[in-house]
């Protein structure tokens, strides 16, 4: 639960400033990096849609969904690892 709350804060752009236990510092950084990657993907997709018009939007959105699901899976896995570390 603690990591999930952190994940939400990270997604809101505050992740780099969160304190975290040292034993999960690397996992925390991985999650921050993954969330930044997701943010970059969203920005790139929005820019592509804006520059390509409606005709290309469906393909761009479909690719973004694939990437968002992949990155989301990595973030979920990291959250599970953090929770496991904090519970041990």
């Amino acid at each position: 639960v603690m990591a999930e709350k952190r994940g939400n804060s990270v997604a809101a752009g505050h992740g780099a400033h969160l304190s975290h236990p040292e034993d999960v510092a690397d996992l925390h950084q991985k999650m921050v990096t993954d969330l930044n990657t997701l943010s970059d993907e969203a920005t790139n997709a929005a820019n592509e849609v804006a520059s390509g018009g409606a005709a290309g939007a469906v393909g761009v959105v479909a690719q973004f969904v694939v990437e968002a699901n992949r990155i989301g899976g990595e973030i979920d896995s990291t959250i599970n690892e953090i929770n496991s570390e904090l519970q041990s």
Side-chain angles (χ1 to χ4, degrees):
V1 173
M2 181 184 289
E4 290 172 3
K5 288 182 183 175
R6 287 185 182 147
N8 291 337
S9 295
V10 172
H14 305 290
H17 306 292
L18 291 174
S19 61
H20 49 77
E22 279 304 310
D23 54 345
V24 295
D26 291 342
L27 292 169
H28 176 265
Q29 185 55 50
K30 180 182 180 329
M31 186 170 58
V32 169
T33 299
D34 287 343
L35 286 164
N36 287 333
T37 300
L38 181 58
S39 175
D40 292 345
E41 290 289 335
T43 299
N44 291 340
N47 290 340
E48 285 185 48
V49 168
S51 68
V58 173
V60 171
V61 170
Q63 182 59 38
F64 173 71
V65 168
V66 168
E67 284 301 303
N69 284 331
R70 180 187 66 76
I71 295 167
E74 291 178 17
I75 292 167
D76 286 344
S77 177
T78 302
I79 289 170
N80 288 335
E81 287 182 62
I82 289 171
N83 286 335
S84 179
E85 279 289 322
L86 293 175
Q87 293 172 1
S88 60

